[in-house]
Amino acid sequence: MRPASRDPSGLDLVVDPHRAEASLWRRFRFEDDAACRENLFDRYFGLARLIAGKLFRQRNTRRIERGDFEQFASEGLLHAIDRFDPLLGVPFSAYARRRIAGNIADGVAQMSEIDAQLSHRHRVEQERLRSLGSDDADPLTALSELAAGLAIGLMLEGTGLIGGREAADNQPDPYDSLAWRETQAILLSEIARLPLPEASVVRQHYDHGLPFAQVAEVMGLSRGRISQIHRAALERLRRRLTARP
Amino acid sequence: MTMMCPDAELQDLIQAMQSDDRDELARADRLIAAYGEDGRLHFLRGSLLAAIGRPIEAMASLKRAVALAPDFAIARFQLGFFQLTSGEAADALGTWGPLALLPEGHYLRFFVGGLTHLIRDEFADAIARLNEGIAVNEENPALNRDMQLIIDQAAGLLRDQARGEHAAGEDGATSATSFLLDQLGARGRPN
């Protein structure tokens, strides 16, 4: 995770973006390099979110949240990545746009009344809570760990900081104090030091806003495993933050 | 016994490529069907595919060329350069390794040396080696043009860096974000 603005490296001078993307497709499709799938997902996540935002603004229902649109968009993007033939000469963005928009339309149409009533945010929070549930015998310790885990989650959520891109929302909010921002910055530096699967789960879940099921799809792991990795990541962050002077 | 493509047919293909003949890829494929073990044909096919924006197939052809003709130095250099421009720097270095066996003072050795410095962000050394390569390369003027472009960009980057350091020395103002990040740096990261 490199910072957003930095001097170009020597490699940046010579890398051709078209060839670099072709290299990802080649390694993913023909050399079974699963990490390239996640890389492609990250590369086009902005496109999926853009399409979700556009369709959300044009929606004719109030019962479905933006988070649902984004979830359907991410699903559509994953389907597109898995079905795209890079040898056909069609740019992936053109191919993916239709799949993403189609998946959003299908998802919205099929979403049941019950799903819609249980808000997207609520579902994500429930999932996170289940992941953080402690086996600790001492209920007070368990509660304090859970609270710390949830606080870290709240701090990470939607900051746009993790992926190194500009913050998604620059409006001042109740948490926009120096202390809050400073802790967020410390957290960011600690995320950069997480082992790879944990850093990936944190980035996909909090920065991209993906539910665990989708993080599982992106990373090619089971949903239960993602939940475990999420818990391990937050525990590690909590330990490191507590250990800081 | 391996059947190599006769020089006359190879020359015809090169001429077709230079004259922008639309049939050139089909010609290359026909020759490869007849002389499939000739690394030169795969190299030319790879170059063609790279030029028309089909990088996945271009890479496969260049790799095939080098596998068939490991001592074909220009194909090896171009495969490494293709890997480098695809963002696969480690693979490029691996591909270029055997070029160290070329005679001292060979232009490809200078180019490989320069690009290796470039990968490590050692811009001044990269420029020096690439210039040395250009000075002795009379065999492949097109390659000199590519290397000159890299030299110009690296020189621009060096100038920008020098200007940036100068400006940073003069301007003490910092944004809230950089202030925060500086503080973070000053605290030091845990060991």
Side-chain angles (χ1 to χ4, degrees), chain A residues 8 10 14 16 19 22-23 26, chain B residues 55 59 82 85-86 88 118 121 157:
Chain A
V14 286
D16 172 330
R19 286 186 187 176
S23 158
R26 189 193 79 238
Chain B
M59 180 82 89
F82 198 89
T85 53
S86 300
E88 300 175 27
L118 188 78
D121 297 340
L157 206 62

Side-chain angles (χ1 to χ4, degrees), chain B residues 85-165:
Chain B
T85 53
S86 300
E88 300 175 27
D91 288 356
L93 293 174
T95 298
W96 285 332
L99 293 180
L101 300 174
L102 287 171
E104 191 86 35
H106 192 287
Y107 69 94
L108 288 179
R109 281 187 61 168
F110 285 123
F111 288 160
V112 167
L115 293 170
T116 306
H117 281 299
L118 188 78
I119 292 169
R120 298 186 196 133
D121 297 340
E122 297 159 354
F123 299 116
D125 289 333
I127 292 170
R129 292 294 89 69
L130 294 177
N131 272 323
E132 285 172 326
I134 288 176
V136 294
N137 172 23
E138 291 170 354
E139 188 181 302
N140 196 330
L143 203 50
N144 279 354
R145 283 195 295 277
D146 287 343
M147 296 303 128
Q148 187 61 52
L149 280 174
I150 295 172
I151 290 171
D152 294 345
Q153 285 180 299
L157 206 62
L158 267 183
R159 275 196 302 276
D160 289 347
Q161 280 180 353
R163 253 188 243 127
E165 279 163 21

Side-chain angles (χ1 to χ4, degrees), chain A residues 71-130:
Chain A
Q71 190 185 330
F72 295 138
S74 299
E75 256 173 34
L77 174 59
L78 280 174
H79 293 167
I81 289 172
D82 290 340
R83 287 170 181 75
F84 179 64
D85 182 351
L87 296 181
L88 287 182
V90 181
F92 177 71
S93 55
Y95 175 82
R97 269 174 200 283
R98 291 178 53 191
R99 288 232 163 230
I100 292 168
N103 206 67
I104 293 173
D106 289 351
V108 168
Q110 285 169 15
M111 202 166 174
S112 74
E113 204 55 48
I114 296 165
D115 282 343
Q117 280 169 11
L118 200 61
S119 75
H120 176 77
R121 188 180 172 80
H122 181 73
R123 272 177 276 138
V124 169
E125 281 170 354
Q126 286 296 313
E127 190 170 48
R128 207 176 281 168
L129 197 61
R130 276 197 298 276

Side-chain angles (χ1 to χ4, degrees), chain A residues 8-11 13-16 18-20 22-23 25-27 30 86-87 178 181-182 185-186 189-190 193 244, chain B residues 50 53 55-57 59 63 82 84-89 118 121 123 150 153-154 157 176 180 184 187-190:
Chain A
S9 69
L11 199 56
L13 288 187
V14 286
V15 168
D16 172 330
H18 177 60
R19 286 186 187 176
S23 158
W25 284 113
R26 189 193 79 238
R27 285 180 284 152
F30 306 111
L87 296 181
L178 187 64
R181 283 161 63 197
E182 195 180 19
I186 293 166
S189 78
E190 292 297 345
R193 296 176 58 241
R244 286 182 80 100
Chain B
I56 294 179
E57 295 145 289
M59 180 82 89
K63 280 184 175 170
F82 198 89
L84 181 70
T85 53
S86 300
E88 300 175 27
L118 188 78
D121 297 340
F123 299 116
I150 295 172
Q153 285 180 299
L157 206 62
L180 263 180
L184 188 61
R187 279 165 163 252
R189 296 183 175 201

Side-chain angles (χ1 to χ4, degrees), chain A residues 24 27-28 31-42 196 200 203-204 218-220:
Chain A
L24 289 175
R27 285 180 284 152
F28 165 51
E31 295 168 19
D32 289 331
D33 186 342
C36 291
R37 184 169 180 265
E38 193 180 339
N39 201 322
L40 286 163
F41 180 82
D42 290 347
L196 194 59
S200 275
R203 192 162 45 85
Q204 300 294 2
V218 173
M219 295 180 64

